[in-house]
Amino acid sequence: MSTTYIFYSSDDSCGPWFGLQLARGLAEHRMRVRLFCHDVPALSVAQAHLDPRVVIQHLGQVEVLDHRLARNVGAARNLVDLFGAVPPAAYMARYFSQPTSGNRYSLHAPWSTQDAGTPILLRSQTQTHRHFDLHLGDSPQTAGLIRSFGHSHLLRNSPHSTLAARASLLSLLGLPSDLISGERSLYLSASPSIAWPKWLQSLIEGETTHCLFIEYGELQQHIAPIFSRVPGQPGTSSLGGLTVVFLPPLLWALEDEVLTLSDLVLTDRTDVAFRAAERGTPAIRARLSSVDTDLTDWCFGRTQTALAEVHRQAANSFGSGRSLVESFDAVMARLADFKAHARQLQTRIGRAPDLVSMMLTASDISSATHVERLFAPTEPNPML
């Protein structure tokens, strides 16, 4: 059984989610997979079967290890670094010194600016080790996407089914559904770094009623005094045209349900925006600086340029605070268009090439030349 180790950067907030989904996908193909985690306690909140105090444990077929162990564990045949991650130097020395052949896969995010024109490229090769660059995306010229493992995402088109699912979710949280009101439902999953005070005030003073689900975290702690609530304690409060739902720490499975039931998601985390896209829910990923991730080009491509510009302006405004209320109003004025586009994006994600199959095929081919020919856009792989 081949072994694969997965690394992500300590400053990459979306690394745990993408890393775990990829690990589960590889493990399903009878591979031994280890994910080196920088914050096991935080991951244990999202995954019920993890113990925050244990440094080596199993989550299904995946081994989750405290990242500090990477300095001492033996090297695996296969290595995956996510979105610019750099494995520890001590580990890399052992990796290159092992006598058996090995493959390293550097995965580049689909929203990165690099455009290789082919799904997989050989970066370097020795007698025993090969280093591949895989450019992720949803087109045939890309290597595929890291998607949620094991679930198909159904879009609820009926208002009645959405209301029923929302009532079920609130029941799980111990909240009566008749307390929730609002013409539009929003989900807020972000840090206090976004420009939230002026936006929250506009929701309170607005004529349109909103129901705002607020993720447990530092931002919820900042907002709680405004509504006289205790952070982390499930409950609802209303002020003006805004009803807020304070959420406790949630498993990813429950958070995914909140994403599905929302009309719009506001976040500064790429993994949350991507999970919303998987579920056909429009999302605004705030850009906190000019070098922060910009999802607009990937989401919209060269189509619907006017809608894309509204999206980009909102993402920049939630980061900078400039023209925030006007940008948010522009999004809400075209909410139906954003929902229609989100359904198209959901379809694109569902049709993306199978990244795991591509990685497994590349690892089984002895000649690097054959690998690049197999995945060249002019000579498409029949598997894809």
Side-chain angles (χ1 to χ4, degrees):
M1 180 184 294
S2 182
T3 303
T4 299
Y5 288 178
I6 299 177
F7 295 88
Y8 64 88
S9 299
S10 59
D11 59 351
D12 184 2
S13 62
C14 66
W17 187 85
F18 283 108
L20 185 57
Q21 308 314 307
L22 177 61
R24 284 173 160 171
L26 290 169
E28 193 179 42
H29 289 264
R30 299 175 59 83
M31 296 188 71
R32 183 190 180 198
V33 185
R34 282 182 159 181
L35 173 66
F36 289 88
C37 180
H38 289 272
D39 194 344
V40 175
L43 186 59
S44 69
V45 174
Q47 296 293 319
H49 301 293
L50 282 182
D51 189 326
R53 301 161 296 180
V54 178
V55 295
I56 303 178
Q57 55 192 308
H58 279 84
L59 184 61
Q61 297 174 293
V62 176
E63 286 184 83
V64 178
L65 284 74
D66 186 292
H67 74 101
R68 293 170 292 185
L69 298 178
R71 296 192 294 264
N72 302 307
V73 297
R77 177 190 173 193
N78 298 312
L79 161 66
V80 177
D81 56 82
L82 280 174
F83 308 157
V86 179
Y91 177 83
M92 293 307 300
R94 290 192 298 276
Y95 171 77
F96 285 115
S97 65
Q98 60 183 341
T100 57
S101 62
N103 297 292
R104 178 179 180 182
Y105 305 95
S106 293
L107 272 56
H108 302 277
W111 33 85
S112 66
T113 56
Q114 301 181 31
D115 184 10
T118 188
I120 183 167
L121 290 172
L122 179 69
R123 183 189 299 189
S124 61
Q125 181 176 18
T126 65
Q127 290 184 340
T128 55
H129 295 87
R130 296 179 297 176
H131 187 176
F132 294 104
D133 286 301
L134 280 80
H135 296 267
L136 275 57
D138 56 88
S139 73
Q141 289 77 35
T142 59
L145 294 171
I146 301 174
R147 291 173 285 217
S148 294
F149 175 76
H151 298 282
S152 59
H153 310 298
L154 300 177
L155 190 66
R156 295 187 176 95
N157 293 316
S158 165
H160 297 292
S161 63
T162 301
L163 289 174
R166 184 179 300 162
S168 177
L169 174 65
L170 293 171
S171 177
L172 285 174
L173 299 174
L175 300 174
S177 58
D178 57 0
L179 291 179
I180 307 302
S181 62
E183 298 174 38
R184 297 164 177 163
S185 294
L186 312 174
Y187 178 50
L188 179 62
S189 171
S191 69
S193 299
I194 70 165
W196 62 270
K198 186 183 297 185
W199 171 70
L200 195 69
Q201 182 180 357
S202 71
L203 294 182
I204 294 172
E205 298 175 351
E207 295 182 1
T208 303
T209 57
H210 292 86
C211 177
L212 177 64
F213 291 84
I214 305 176
E215 174 195 49
Y216 175 73
E218 192 177 352
L219 181 54
Q220 188 186 102
Q221 296 172 12
H222 281 69
I223 295 176
I226 300 174
F227 295 91
S228 302
R229 298 219 60 89
V230 177
Q233 179 177 317
T236 66
S237 294
S238 295
L239 190 60
L242 178 63
T243 298
V244 293
V245 181
F246 281 75
L247 297 172
L250 294 179
L251 299 174
W252 277 338
L254 281 176
E255 185 181 26
D256 287 341
E257 191 65 18
V258 177
L259 293 170
T260 304
L261 296 172
S262 300
D263 293 312
L264 180 69
V265 173
L266 301 161
T267 184
D268 59 359
R269 288 173 40 198
T270 304
D271 60 317
V272 173
F274 182 82
R275 288 157 61 194
E278 279 189 303
R279 289 153 182 83
T281 302
I284 303 296
R285 199 283 193 195
R287 296 190 70 208
L288 303 179
S289 69
S290 59
V291 297
D292 207 355
T293 301
D294 184 356
L295 296 184
T296 302
D297 288 339
W298 175 73
C299 288
F300 291 87
R302 295 189 177 95
T303 64
Q304 298 179 293
T305 54
L307 195 65
E309 187 57 29
V310 173
H311 182 276
R312 195 188 310 276
Q313 288 290 342
N316 292 333
S317 294
F318 269 97
S320 67
R322 292 189 294 271
S323 304
L324 175 55
V325 175
E326 294 81 0
S327 296
F328 177 72
D329 288 344
V331 170
M332 301 313 286
R334 301 196 61 181
L335 184 59
D337 295 332
F338 276 102
K339 286 185 174 183
H341 174 267
R343 290 191 287 272
Q344 297 171 9
L345 181 57
Q346 181 189 35
T347 301
R348 278 173 44 197
I349 292 172
R351 292 176 177 172
D354 186 354
L355 172 63
V356 171
S357 294
M358 185 171 292
M359 293 174 63
L360 295 175
T361 301
S363 68
D364 290 338
I365 298 174
S366 58
S367 167
T369 302
H370 290 161
V371 170
E372 293 193 358
R373 284 177 61 84
L374 181 65
F375 295 115
T378 54
E379 299 181 31
N381 178 358
M383 291 177 15
L384 305 179

